[in-house]
Amino acid sequence: MRITHIVSIVLFLALAFWVASRSPHVKLRVQSAALAVASPFIKSGSAMEQRATAFRNEVRDSAELARENERLRRELDLLRIYSRDRSEIYDENRRLARALDYRERSAFNLLPARVIQRERNTWWSTVTIDRGFENGLAVGAAVIVPEGLVGRVITVAPSTSVILLLTDSHCKVAARTLGSLDLRAVVTGSRGNTGATPFLTMGPLPLDTEVESGRQVLTTGSGLVFPPNYPVGTIESIEQREFYSVAQVRPAADFKTLDQVFVVLSEKRGGES
Amino acid sequence: MRLLYGGLLAMALTIAFLLQEWMPALAAWTEALTGLPVHDAGWTRNARILLLAAFFFPAALTVSYPGMLALAFATGLLWDAREALVLEDDPTWMVQGTGWGGTLLLLLLLGSLIQGVRPLYQAGHWLIPLALCLPCIAILVVGEFTWNHVRSGSFALPPGFWGKAALTTFLTWLPAPLVLFLLTRGLAATGCEPAATPGFSR
């Protein structure tokens, strides 16, 4: 082995150690800078994905119209197209109105955001949203949808942020069950981001705990990130282990179709809502 | 000339990084283009092309050992800047972060392995070097999981782990021949044509 190779390896290892020993704060700043550089490309990719979806829908609709033209008159087809278009606009309008109404009704100051990148990491459950610190976001902010808890902000760039989803094993939330039997434990996601249907686990619970499936799981509110009783999911089943029990929890939020989310900026003062 | 090729590599690495950010996951593309509910089927397991890895291993064949180390350091930094899970301590959420540095060591080891077949590449034999890129990518993908999850708990692998690792590895390896071809053209264009090593015939 040449001397230059040995010197190169020593230099490499020294630099690698220096990088690895930086504080989490410094690493987060580096990640924030990298996210800021990548943001225009993430947004561009997301826009192209949306255009591809729109194009595919157009192609599919055209094929359907062609089949209909074999059986129906042209005027009737046009009427159906117009009717369908109105229906889509009506549905979208109703969905946005519902989201807006939710934003107004909520006890928090909420910032609506759109998911622009899914499954960014191979082994972590993260998504990227189109809001950043220019919009008032900070690391640690909770992210929710009307149905329930989604996750938390872990990296913030000027106009984009990365959310660690509740379905990841690194995201843990103190929770309790709703009802007369008040069970308290930690809810966490699964390891590896590999399943099509992400389930959460709630544990450890007392040995031989029996809870009927369908019981709601809520946040405890400890730590003041959330007020108590925000939906996390529902109990699916109980698994008895040697010294404790663990509950499988179906998340309240639909993570497969996550599109519009709300970032909790801060809790509203009394009477503000 | 080497400086010129180094600049070319730096530019190509930046492009690979930005292109990787631009490309959505396989499932998102498949759903957008075909309408098939592949997320529900789960067969894609959220796999995506890791262009940084697809670039690094072929590029490591085209440079000297110190050059490979410089490339490994730059690639590892970019990788960890976007792939590592860094979490500030927060007792409210009871979350744990994962470390940096594992990728750098992995790239050092795997890059050294790739350098072992560099004479074959220099002699014009691409098959074995390109084939070796496949297990190297697999080790990087599995190593990333192992490095971060073993530190935080048990050795248990999640269901679907090997399927996702295999699909991600294969997808990532697919562009490698094209990358190697383009880099070889880059070598020639910058006047850094790899010299044939004695003992190997072109």
Side-chain angles (χ1 to χ4, degrees), chain A residues 107-176:
Chain A
F108 320 110
N109 282 325
L110 297 178
L111 179 72
R114 195 172 66 81
V115 173
I116 57 171
Q117 192 181 44
R118 297 167 193 272
E119 298 100 30
R120 170 63 186 77
N121 303 94
T122 311
W123 301 119
W124 321 125
S125 298
T126 60
V127 294
T128 308
I129 59 171
D130 65 344
R131 304 286 181 169
F133 62 71
E134 286 175 349
N135 308 104
L137 264 70
V139 169
V143 181
I144 58 177
V145 289
E147 291 77 20
L149 185 62
V150 169
R152 60 171 297 204
V153 175
I154 56 168
T155 310
V156 184
S159 62
T160 49
S161 301
V162 177
I163 299 169
L164 179 67
L165 297 179
L166 187 60
T167 51
D168 193 280
S169 63
H170 291 81
C171 194
K172 299 178 181 180
V173 180
R176 68 177 185 86

Side-chain angles (χ1 to χ4, degrees), chain A residues 55-82:
Chain A
F55 174 75
R56 187 252 303 164
N57 288 338
E58 279 182 23
V59 171
R60 186 189 62 193
D61 290 348
S62 299
E64 287 173 2
L65 283 174
R67 281 196 297 274
E68 286 175 3
N69 277 337
E70 294 174 2
R71 297 182 293 106
L72 302 169
R73 289 182 301 171
R74 186 180 184 87
E75 290 82 2
L76 186 58
D77 285 343
L78 288 172
L79 282 174
R80 283 182 173 175
I81 292 169
Y82 290 140

Side-chain angles (χ1 to χ4, degrees), chain A residues 3-17, chain B residues 65 69 108:
Chain A
I3 189 73
T4 53
H5 292 187
I6 295 170
V7 170
S8 303
I9 291 174
V10 170
L11 193 63
F12 182 95
L13 290 174
L15 283 171
F17 178 77
Chain B
Y65 192 77
L69 289 179
L108 165 68

Side-chain angles (χ1 to χ4, degrees), chain B residues 40-150:
Chain B
D40 290 337
W43 64 272
T44 62
R45 304 191 189 283
N46 303 333
R48 62 188 307 127
I49 298 174
L50 305 172
L51 266 184
L52 281 178
F55 170 78
F56 170 73
F57 293 110
L61 283 166
T62 65
V63 291
S64 63
Y65 192 77
M68 183 280 293
L69 289 179
L71 192 64
F73 190 77
T75 308
L77 269 189
L78 283 175
W79 185 284
D80 279 343
R82 291 292 287 133
E83 300 285 344
L85 190 66
V86 178
L87 301 170
E88 280 184 322
D89 294 336
D90 186 349
T92 300
W93 285 82
M94 295 170 286
V95 291
Q96 306 157 332
T98 59
W100 270 27
T103 313
L104 292 172
L105 292 178
L106 268 175
L107 290 180
L108 165 68
L109 294 173
L110 296 173
S112 301
L113 190 67
I114 282 283
Q115 281 277 310
V117 294
R118 187 166 178 249
L120 286 175
Y121 164 72
Q122 288 176 311
H125 301 290
W126 284 23
L127 189 63
I128 292 175
L130 277 174
L132 189 63
C133 289
L134 192 66
C136 284
I137 293 168
I139 292 170
L140 183 65
V141 170
V142 174
E144 186 193 13
F145 176 89
T146 308
W147 171 262
N148 290 304
H149 282 97
V150 166

